[in-house]
Amino acid sequence: MTIDLPEVTGAQRAAGTLRSTTAIRQRAGALTERARAGDSTWFVVDDDALPAAAAEVVTVTRRRYPELDIPFHSRWRHFEAGGTDRTDRIRRLLPDDRAAQARSLIDLAVVSVLLDAGAGPDWSYVEADTGLRIGRSEGLAVACWHAFVDGLFSTDPDRPMQVDAAGLRRLTVADLGTAFQVDDRNPLVGLDGRVELLRRLGTTMGERADVFGDDRRPGHLYDALAGAGTTAVDAHAILDLLLTTTSGIWLSGNTLGGVPLGDCWRHKAVRGDGLTDGWMPFHKLSQWLTYSLLEPFVWAGHGVDGLDSLTALPEYRNGGLLLDTGVLRLRDPDVAEHRWAAGDELVVEWRALTITLIDEIAQEVRRELAVDADRLPLACVLEGGTWAAGRECARARRGGLPPLDIASDGTVF
């Protein structure tokens, strides 16, 4: 029998190219070399500052993980806020079945990551059973953990600890605001955008039973990637599946010939073939989600291949580390006083330089710690690591605020 496949358009081929981390690294590398040559409008790269930045990361890493038993940088670390092992708690609440647990844990990881953009300095969450007041990423994680356990994202009263398409489509700003304790005195940046993002995911899942199953759950990504007999999953395969099935949920509005691109932005100096020319891809939240999906597969008994195909996360902790340690300098310091949009060229370039320079810092960190990439992949350098060092620098210099002020709808940073 012959199956007629739909014709792939030029825009679809271009979008496929922009979903590759190879394209991310190549284009980020070209912008970095351009900046090194002195041709950037916005930034100066100081290579002499790289060793000191790496030393800062090494110091933080050794303090946090003295035995270098560093886990992946993922959302699961945030569920450990305050020294409480919420991951162990939730696994004890779930059925004693590896595949079923993996589906539920993937459900949790997906909604939690999509809700994990900058919370702003004025929001925090008070956990009732511990009394902890937790802000920023950890607070968002813990708030989402409790909302998930309470069944906020499920329409099945017999299975509250799941996420399904109908549960996401019915979610309101008031629902999420109540779950996250948002009020006039406890404002959460981008609350409306977060809800819209989850509702879009619900719509997308409702249209893709082939990936999300008859009950339309993110957890069926497990079945799509780890079929019978699968011993290992490929990290980029996880990312590719996320991007091909969910790119339409992002609120950026960036499209190419009607094909949604998600976290891709224009930069006049980026070169590429055909329709990809001028586009700089990042897919930060999709990569953060990929990192966060690795452990559910591992806990279900699968290995992970191709981990270092993923890139550093181009956000304000990793990028802030570069500015705060002098690896990057603003040509005009006054631009730090302005508020920028995610699509502004300065922000696009900052994120691109972050991709390349964090890779370079990772190499320096491995040399300093005398370990190779197999023992210390980028996912562990980030956790050890660059993200934590960036946060500490921000706390010491600006009370935790990033070095650049970027308007956020809750779906990029």
Side-chain angles (χ1 to χ4, degrees):
M1 181 177 67
T2 300
I3 299 175
D4 293 326
L5 298 176
E7 182 179 351
V8 177
T9 67
Q12 289 169 328
R13 282 192 294 271
T17 296
L18 295 172
R19 292 180 185 131
S20 165
T21 55
T22 298
I24 295 174
R25 277 195 167 94
Q26 286 176 343
R27 293 170 188 233
L31 285 180
T32 305
E33 290 310 306
R34 175 176 174 268
R36 281 185 161 126
D39 295 331
S40 169
T41 302
W42 309 104
F43 296 99
V44 174
V45 178
D46 184 355
D47 287 318
D48 291 338
L50 272 167
E56 182 76 20
V57 175
V58 167
T59 297
V60 171
T61 299
R62 282 181 166 148
R63 185 178 70 245
R64 300 180 74 226
Y65 299 100
E67 302 300 320
L68 299 185
D69 52 345
I70 308 170
F72 297 149
H73 184 56
S74 80
R75 196 61 166 149
W76 300 100
R77 307 290 77 75
H78 296 161
F79 293 130
E80 300 162 0
T84 298
D85 191 346
R86 296 174 188 83
T87 300
D88 181 67
R89 286 173 58 186
I90 203 166
R91 293 179 71 184
R92 291 174 183 273
L93 294 171
L94 292 169
D96 187 18
D97 175 273
R98 282 185 169 186
Q101 279 206 7
R103 293 185 194 103
S104 287
L105 295 172
I106 288 170
D107 281 350
L108 172 57
V110 168
V111 291
S112 183
V113 166
L114 295 187
L115 290 169
D116 181 34
D122 301 319
W123 177 85
S124 61
Y125 179 82
V126 178
E127 189 175 36
D129 55 348
T130 65
L132 290 171
R133 179 178 290 277
I134 315 169
R136 301 194 179 275
S137 286
E138 289 86 351
L140 292 169
V142 173
C144 186
W145 189 94
H146 284 282
F148 177 80
V149 170
D150 290 343
L152 179 63
F153 311 110
S154 173
T155 54
D156 187 342
D158 295 325
R159 297 178 179 176
M161 286 185 289
Q162 70 174 33
V163 175
D164 56 60
L168 294 182
R169 289 198 301 266
R170 74 179 184 185
L171 189 68
T172 67
V173 172
D175 292 335
L176 193 67
T178 298
F180 279 48
Q181 302 173 353
V182 176
D183 58 30
D184 291 343
R185 294 173 297 176
N186 193 37
L188 175 62
V189 171
L191 177 63
D192 290 14
R194 294 169 206 266
V195 172
E196 178 61 21
L197 191 61
L198 291 184
R199 289 174 61 88
R200 286 190 182 205
L201 176 62
T203 299
T204 294
M205 290 195 302
E207 298 168 349
R208 294 296 304 267
D210 58 323
V211 175
F212 299 108
D214 291 339
D215 50 357
R216 307 301 203 275
R217 291 174 55 191
H220 285 296
L221 291 167
Y222 175 79
D223 304 280
L225 290 159
T230 301
T231 57
V233 294
D234 181 79
H236 202 287
I238 298 174
L239 175 63
D240 188 61
L241 183 59
L242 289 171
L243 291 175
T244 54
T245 57
T246 65
S247 284
I249 73 173
W250 304 109
L251 307 181
S252 68
N254 294 329
T255 62
L256 193 60
V259 179
L261 297 179
D263 189 12
C264 296
W265 306 88
R266 302 290 297 179
H267 190 296
K268 66 176 183 293
V270 172
R271 300 277 70 84
D273 293 334
L275 294 174
T276 73
D277 192 59
W279 286 101
M280 180 64 226
F282 298 107
H283 306 305
K284 177 256 177 179
L285 274 174
S286 294
Q287 291 204 72
W288 178 223
L289 179 52
T290 302
Y291 280 120
S292 299
L293 293 184
L294 299 177
E295 281 154 303
F297 283 99
V298 171
W299 294 328
H302 304 281
V304 177
D305 293 332
L307 188 56
D308 270 350
S309 64
L310 304 178
T311 76
L313 300 178
E315 39 72 49
Y316 59 82
R317 295 305 183 203
N318 288 318
L321 173 70
L322 299 173
L323 285 168
D324 285 338
T325 57
V327 176
L328 286 181
R329 296 198 309 272
L330 292 166
R331 285 195 175 277
D332 178 5
D334 289 343
V335 303
E337 305 302 318
H338 301 172
R339 168 162 267 212
W340 301 89
D344 288 339
E345 187 180 274
L346 175 143
V347 177
V348 175
E349 189 165 319
W350 180 36
R351 299 180 74 198
L353 300 185
T354 297
I355 296 287
T356 303
L357 295 171
I358 293 295
D359 270 347
E360 295 179 10
I361 284 177
Q363 294 175 8
E364 292 281 344
V365 167
R366 294 184 190 112
R367 279 194 287 269
E368 184 72 20
L369 293 174
V371 295
D372 60 23
D374 287 338
R375 184 179 173 193
L376 196 66
L378 181 61
C380 298
V381 176
L382 297 174
E383 173 58 26
T386 58
W387 191 89
R391 172 181 268 189
E392 290 191 11
C393 287
R395 186 180 294 125
R397 289 165 172 77
R398 295 172 300 277
L401 294 176
L404 295 176
D405 182 13
I406 301 170
S408 172
D409 62 2
T411 64
V412 176
F413 288 95

